[in-house]
Each structure stands twice: as C-alpha cells, then as structure tokens.
Amino acid sequence: MSDQMETEVNPVDKNWLQRLKNESWEAELLVSAVAIFAILKSFSGIDWLLTKFIDYLNPNQYLVAYAIIVSGYLAVGVLAAMFSIHFALRAYWIGLVGLNSVFPDYSLEDSAYSPIYTEKTLQMLPKLSVSITKIDELCSVTFSAAFSIMLIYLNFTVIATVYLILYNLAKDVVPEWILLIPLGLFIGYIVYGSILTSIANTKKFRSHEKIQELYFLYSKWGAKILYGPFPKSILQISMIFGSNYKRKKGLIKMILFMLFIGTIFGGVQLVRSNYDYLINYDVPVDSSKKHAYYYADNNVGTDFLLAPEINAGTIKNRVLQLFIPIFKHEKTIFEAKCAIPDFPTFQLPDDTERQKRRDTYLACYAKNQSVTINGRTVEVSFLKSDHPHTGQFGIVTYIDLDSLSNGTHTLGVEKIFEGQNRRKWTIPFYISAKN
C-alpha cells in the first residue's frame, strides 16, 4: 500500500521540482538584487565591528580580531562579486531566451552578410541553445556557492566573537594559558588539516587507504567545527562541486574565477579600512610625515579617531585645542594602574563623593599623558569630553601659544602605559599670525 502511494506521489513531486527549476530564475533575480544591496551595506557593519574591536579589546587580542575582520571583508567581497555577476548573467540569459523565442538559431539563408563570412563566423560561435543552457547552469550553481561561503564565514565570526567575549569575561579568574588552549588547538587543527589535505590529494597518496581515512576523519570533524549548525548542507554542496569536477570543469573554473574577483573586491575595501591598526598599533608613527588625521578640519566625516587631534594645521588665534581619545581598554589599564577603589556595594555616594571620584578618574587619565611643544614639556589642564563627530570618550585641553613665534612647531603627545609601553605622536602645526 505504501509502495503504491509512493508511486502515485513521486511523479507529482518530480513535476513540481521540474516546474520550480524552470521558474526559479524569477526568484533568483529578486534575491540577487536584494542580496547585492544588503551585502554592500555589510561593509559598514564590518567597519563598525572593527572599531569596537580596537576600542574594547586589549591589544594582545588584536590578532584574533584581525583574522575576523580580514576574513569578513574578503567573504563579503566574494558574496558581492558572485551575486553581482549572477545578476548580470541572469539578465543576459533572459535576453538570450527572449531572442531564442523569436529566432530559434542562426540562419545562413537569411543572413544580411555574405554566406562565406556568415559561415566562418558561425563556426566560432556556440549554438544559442547551448549558451542558454550553460549560462543557466552557471547562474544556478552560483547561488549554492554563495550560500556556502556566507554560512562558513558567519559561523567563524560567531565562534571567534564568542571566544573573545568568554576570554575577556574569564581572564581575571582563569589563568591565561588555559584560556589560550582552545585557540592553540584550533590553529593546530587548521595547520594539520592543510598539510593533510595537500598530501591526500597528491597522485601518490590518492589510493593510500590510511591517508584517505585520516583525510575523511579530518573533513568529517572539521565540518562540525567550521560549518557550525549546517555541516551536512555545506559539505553536500562542496562534495557536489568536487565530485563533478571532471564532468563540469568549466563551471567549477568559473566559480573559482568569481571567488578570485570577489577576493580582489573585498581586498580593496579592506585596504580602505583601519584594519592594519590591529597589527601595527605598536609600530611608531612616522614623525617626519604630516598625517591628515591629526587635524579636526580633515576629520569631519571620520567615524573613529585612532590618534590625538588638534583644531587645525594652521593656528591663527594663538590657541591650540588638543583632543586625546581614550579607548575603552585604555581606560581599564589606566584605572588599574591608578588603583582607583570601587564604590561600596549597595551604597550610593553623595554629590560631594561622586564629584570627587569623577575628578579622581580625570586625574588618572591626565597623569598618563605627556604633552610637549618643540620637545619641551607643557603643563596642561585636561577636561573629560566626548568628541563632537565620533562620540568617542577622551580628554581635551587648550594650550596658549602666545609665547611661540610665527612659523612651524611640533606638538608631542604620549600615552604612558605599564613600564616602557608607550604610544607617541608628533603633530606639526603652523602659527600664521599674532592677534
């Protein structure tokens, strides 16, 4: 009875599936258009995540953040390229289908050109029906490839971000070497897998039972780790591509070409961001260069300051305004260094005590900054402030320049952390006239 029902249902299922295949291009176009818009907007989301990493994370965790950000830009770049190429190809496919409905194929008899020229040209061109089929196949597989990339990156981002959060929550109560064990195991597993994959796919070891068994186990458990809650779905897509490589080499190569184009696009967006700060934060700033980001009039559209800022490169009113951004992790370092006591539990301070603590915090931030002009220390009074454009917390001061002559001068700013750990900036400015 059940076999009979299965026999009756299967043709319906097949017809439904075939109809879905034939009409899927409409949904593909809609999804592509929406996806392109959403993906291009995703770059701003990664920029936001980058600033949060710089702001909140201790620099010894920047390397993990760097891996997340770089892979994020490249993944979004690949997705943007694949969906954009898909949209263009599917639009071209619609044009070919429309053309095919009017002109089933080339015509030698009705050609506007000479028979010899027409025949030789047609020898170079594929049949219209072949082009329609190949482009349709490419558009269809592009979706599955883009889906896999999106899920792999999303899972990696979630795992890495959760790890960073747990690390920061537990670092005060758990020894650091224990917290680094998961990261070490993950890196070791990736290195082991890369070596094993290279060996297992060489001609010499393709029939080696032991090597192939190890390769299978690595892929099986690697899928559970890297592919998150969708290991079978992503593995299924990758196996369909891999197991049909010899039969559909052209399709696979086109997908790889899209990946290459997407990587370049993502790389261009990456270079425009502040990603390099995550690996170069401790590299001394070039003091022989006038950096545009030192000056407020150049930072109107900036979302996040990485360095101190003065009001302008040319000072006309003899007063220099200096804003020093203090990142969230720097506040933690300064406050621990100053040993500021916490409020008593379940006890609210009175107004006098509250202001006293506010002044204590300000004094703490100020004592860990050094300001010089032309190499000479300047005594300044700071105030806590939020930057008018970026909203970042920091401290601001105003320096009277009446004692300085017209011309070029240098402002030195230094953040002092533990021991010899310091960050320095040399900011040139010019005094144009004395009021």
Side-chain angles (χ1 to χ4, degrees):
M1 181 72 176
S2 61
D3 291 341
Q4 186 179 354
M5 286 179 64
E6 234 179 293
T7 306
E8 292 174 358
V9 171
N10 279 344
V12 177
D13 286 346
K14 288 179 181 178
N15 291 336
W16 172 83
L17 184 60
Q18 186 59 47
R19 189 169 67 253
L20 182 63
K21 288 179 181 178
N22 294 337
E23 298 175 359
S24 66
W25 63 270
E26 297 172 336
E28 286 180 23
L29 274 178
L30 179 61
V31 171
S32 283
V34 174
I36 291 169
F37 176 79
I39 289 168
L40 292 178
K41 289 290 184 181
S42 297
F43 283 117
S44 60
I46 300 178
D47 286 335
W48 176 86
L49 186 62
L50 171 60
T51 60
K52 294 303 177 185
F53 282 155
I54 293 173
D55 199 12
Y56 282 88
L57 294 182
N58 192 292
N60 60 19
Q61 301 165 32
Y62 276 177
L63 194 58
V64 177
Y66 177 80
I68 295 173
I69 294 302
V70 171
S71 62
Y73 272 104
L74 297 183
V76 173
V78 167
L79 286 173
M82 293 185 80
F83 279 113
S84 298
I85 293 173
H86 170 272
F87 187 85
L89 287 175
R90 185 55 82 182
Y92 177 54
W93 177 85
I94 292 173
L96 290 182
V97 170
L99 195 64
N100 185 243
S101 66
V102 179
F103 306 108
D105 212 331
Y106 310 110
S107 174
L108 187 63
E109 294 79 10
D110 300 323
S111 175
Y113 309 105
S114 69
I116 296 175
Y117 173 80
T118 301
E119 188 173 359
K120 288 184 176 296
T121 303
L122 294 184
Q123 289 173 0
M124 301 185 334
L125 302 175
K127 286 187 172 295
L128 192 56
S129 58
V130 172
S131 295
I132 291 172
T133 300
K134 286 186 175 181
I135 293 173
D136 184 47
E137 288 179 348
L138 181 57
C139 289
S140 298
V141 299
T142 299
F143 253 74
S144 58
F147 171 78
S148 299
I149 293 169
M150 180 181 66
L151 289 182
I152 291 171
Y153 170 66
L154 181 63
N155 184 62
F156 172 75
T157 302
V158 170
I159 291 175
T161 304
V162 169
Y163 171 73
L164 284 175
I165 293 172
L166 294 177
Y167 179 95
N168 283 280
L169 290 175
K171 67 180 180 179
D172 293 330
V173 293
V174 180
E176 186 176 10
W177 67 270
I178 294 179
L179 296 175
L180 291 175
I181 288 177
L183 179 60
L185 290 175
F186 179 77
I187 294 174
Y189 193 77
I190 295 297
V191 172
Y192 163 76
S194 300
I195 296 172
L196 182 60
T197 301
S198 301
I199 294 173
N201 287 290
T202 58
K203 187 176 181 179
K204 181 179 179 180
F205 293 102
R206 287 178 73 88
S207 301
H208 194 287
E209 187 174 348
K210 186 65 176 177
I211 295 292
Q212 294 303 318
E213 179 69 20
L214 289 173
Y215 184 39
F216 165 73
L217 290 174
Y218 165 77
S219 299
K220 177 182 176 181
W221 290 103
K224 294 180 182 295
I225 296 170
L226 297 176
Y227 302 159
F230 311 102
K232 289 187 178 180
S233 300
I234 300 175
L235 194 59
Q236 181 182 44
I237 293 172
S238 64
M239 278 303 296
I240 288 174
F241 278 114
S243 60
N244 287 285
Y245 174 73
K246 292 181 181 179
R247 190 161 64 92
K248 294 287 185 180
K249 283 186 179 181
L251 277 179
I252 310 300
K253 288 177 180 178
M254 279 300 298
I255 294 296
L256 292 176
F257 175 72
M258 290 183 188
L259 289 173
F260 174 71
I261 295 297
T263 301
I264 293 177
F265 178 62
V268 170
Q269 298 298 320
L270 177 67
V271 171
R272 292 177 179 175
S273 73
N274 293 322
Y275 85 101
D276 55 333
Y277 183 86
L278 294 171
I279 52 174
N280 296 327
Y281 69 93
D282 56 349
V283 175
V285 181
D286 185 359
S287 60
S288 65
K289 183 177 180 180
K290 181 182 178 182
H291 299 279
Y293 52 74
Y294 285 150
Y295 310 104
D297 45 2
N298 296 328
N299 291 333
V300 176
T302 301
D303 295 324
F304 193 79
L305 297 181
L306 297 173
E309 176 191 83
I310 63 174
N311 45 325
T314 301
I315 307 298
K316 298 179 180 180
N317 58 4
R318 314 294 292 187
V319 175
L320 185 146
Q321 176 181 317
L322 169 64
F323 177 84
I324 304 176
I326 298 179
F327 302 154
K328 297 291 192 303
H329 72 267
E330 292 177 340
K331 286 179 65 177
T332 303
I333 294 172
F334 292 148
E335 290 166 13
K337 185 179 176 184
C338 296
I340 299 175
D342 294 327
F343 287 118
T345 308
F346 304 117
Q347 181 180 339
L348 292 175
D350 57 28
D351 292 344
T352 303
E353 176 65 19
R354 182 180 285 110
Q355 188 57 50
K356 182 180 177 181
R357 286 179 176 274
R358 291 169 177 167
D359 294 340
T360 302
Y361 280 111
L362 174 59
C364 176
Y365 305 144
K367 71 180 286 189
N368 289 290
Q369 319 295 322
S370 173
V371 179
T372 62
I373 291 183
N374 300 329
R376 295 183 178 181
T377 301
V378 179
E379 296 297 329
V380 294
S381 297
F382 284 105
L383 291 171
K384 290 181 289 185
S385 177
D386 293 323
H387 193 272
H389 297 303
T390 68
Q392 285 172 265
F393 173 79
I395 51 179
V396 64
T397 187
Y398 301 89
I399 303 174
D400 191 336
L401 305 177
D402 275 340
S403 61
L404 298 180
S405 61
N406 294 343
T408 302
H409 302 272
T410 56
L411 173 72
V413 180
E414 186 175 23
K415 288 184 179 180
I416 307 168
F417 301 101
E418 301 94 343
Q420 299 299 315
N421 186 11
R422 301 183 174 207
R423 291 217 68 204
K424 301 178 181 179
W425 296 269
T426 302
I427 306 174
F429 64 93
Y430 185 84
I431 300 177
S432 66
K434 195 167 185 176
N435 290 340

